[in-house]
Amino acid sequence: MSLNSFLQFFVTKETKFFPIYTKQAELLVHATKTLIEMLKVDNYEERKLLGRQIKKDETDGDELFRNLYKMLNITFITPFDREDINELAANLDDCLDIIDDCSKNILMYKPKRIDSQIMETAQYLNECACYLLEIINMLEHITLNHDDIIEKCDKIKHIEHTIDAIYSDYISNLFNDETDYIELVKNKNIAETFESASDIIKNVADTIRTIVIKNS
């Protein structure tokens, strides 16, 4: 047991980190929801406006991560291991970064169409983000919420596997059916970024699962 973990038995735990996690997760929910809206519209200028909203979420997330890091450096007793506190915030920040990358790729490649598999993946990413927000809101009482947290982490893992399957089928069909090589490359690169987003979101769930195990 680390010194920090031992001292937590005798000192009131510092809870100021949890609101930052909540704000990070809320930004992720908003960014993934905006990404869905971005895929629904055909007008490029409208897509740009939605892309700016996602970029703002990503920028706000960077500021939250910096604030948490500063706070961590001046806090003696933390609710769980310092490394875990930093890793969770960093993972959530990575999620916002990859959603911003998804948005950038849509704007950069300007695909002629948005295939249903891309939209389905975006909807699943939003579902994962909503689960993460629910999980984050339970972390302050981690022992009491142990089972519910693990259950929602499992749901995120299941969705990530589903997205992997969607991605594999989509890429296979794309190479079989797409005759326009330029569009093939565009859609392949877009799909890869969306699939990577599911992996990064799953990393957050894995980090939380580790924290729960260590603090139960």
Side-chain angles (χ1 to χ4, degrees):
M1 178 183 292
S2 68
L3 175 60
N4 183 73
S5 298
F6 178 74
L7 290 173
Q8 285 180 33
F9 286 109
F10 305 101
V11 182
T12 301
K13 295 180 181 180
E14 181 57 73
T15 61
K16 60 189 175 185
F17 298 100
F18 297 114
I20 296 180
Y21 290 142
T22 296
K23 290 176 182 177
Q24 284 183 297
E26 288 173 346
L27 286 174
L28 183 60
V29 170
H30 183 263
T32 53
K33 183 177 179 181
T34 305
L35 183 63
I36 293 170
E37 295 304 312
M38 191 179 187
L39 297 176
K40 288 180 180 178
V41 300
D42 294 325
N43 183 277
Y44 184 72
E45 292 303 318
E46 289 183 50
R47 280 185 179 169
K48 281 175 64 176
L49 289 174
L50 292 167
R52 287 173 191 157
Q53 290 182 31
I54 293 173
K55 182 61 182 177
K56 184 179 186 306
D57 289 335
E58 187 269 336
T59 302
D60 290 347
D62 286 342
E63 182 65 21
L64 288 171
F65 183 43
R66 284 192 291 269
N67 289 342
L68 183 139
Y69 184 77
K70 292 176 184 176
M71 195 181 299
L72 186 59
N73 284 334
I74 60 173
T75 302
F76 180 57
I77 298 298
T78 56
F80 38 84
D81 286 349
R82 307 176 76 82
E83 295 82 3
D84 292 333
I85 287 176
N86 184 71
E87 183 177 358
L88 178 54
N91 288 165
L92 286 165
D93 191 59
D94 288 343
C95 289
L96 286 164
D97 289 341
I98 193 66
I99 297 302
D100 185 45
D101 287 343
C102 290
S103 167
K104 286 177 180 176
N105 278 357
I106 295 295
L107 293 173
M108 178 174 64
Y109 289 117
K110 301 179 183 178
K112 290 180 179 178
R113 67 181 189 276
I114 299 295
D115 289 327
S116 61
Q117 295 91 338
I118 301 298
M119 175 63 78
E120 186 178 11
T121 300
Q123 291 168 338
Y124 275 128
L125 293 176
N126 177 251
E127 186 176 349
C128 285
C130 291
Y131 279 133
L132 280 180
L133 178 56
E134 291 176 14
I135 291 169
I136 293 299
N137 285 332
M138 292 190 287
L139 279 183
E140 190 169 348
H141 304 288
I142 197 167
T143 303
L144 291 175
N145 294 315
H146 174 279
D147 292 345
D148 287 339
I149 293 172
I150 295 299
E151 180 184 355
K152 293 183 190 301
C153 286
D154 288 341
K155 288 181 178 179
I156 291 173
K157 183 177 181 180
H158 176 74
I159 291 173
E160 188 266 339
H161 289 328
T162 301
I163 290 175
D164 281 347
I166 292 170
Y167 171 76
S168 296
D169 289 344
Y170 177 63
I171 294 299
S172 177
N173 292 334
L174 196 63
F175 275 91
N176 283 331
D177 303 332
E178 181 58 71
T179 57
D180 185 328
Y181 179 72
I182 294 176
E183 287 303 305
L184 187 153
V185 172
K186 287 180 180 181
N187 285 291
K188 174 181 173 293
N189 289 346
I190 289 169
E192 284 178 349
T193 309
F194 275 65
E195 192 275 335
S196 294
S198 72
D199 293 335
I200 291 174
I201 290 178
K202 178 181 168 291
N203 287 344
V204 182
D206 290 342
T207 298
I208 291 171
R209 186 190 298 273
T210 299
I211 292 170
V212 170
I213 292 171
K214 289 167 70 173
N215 290 273
S216 298

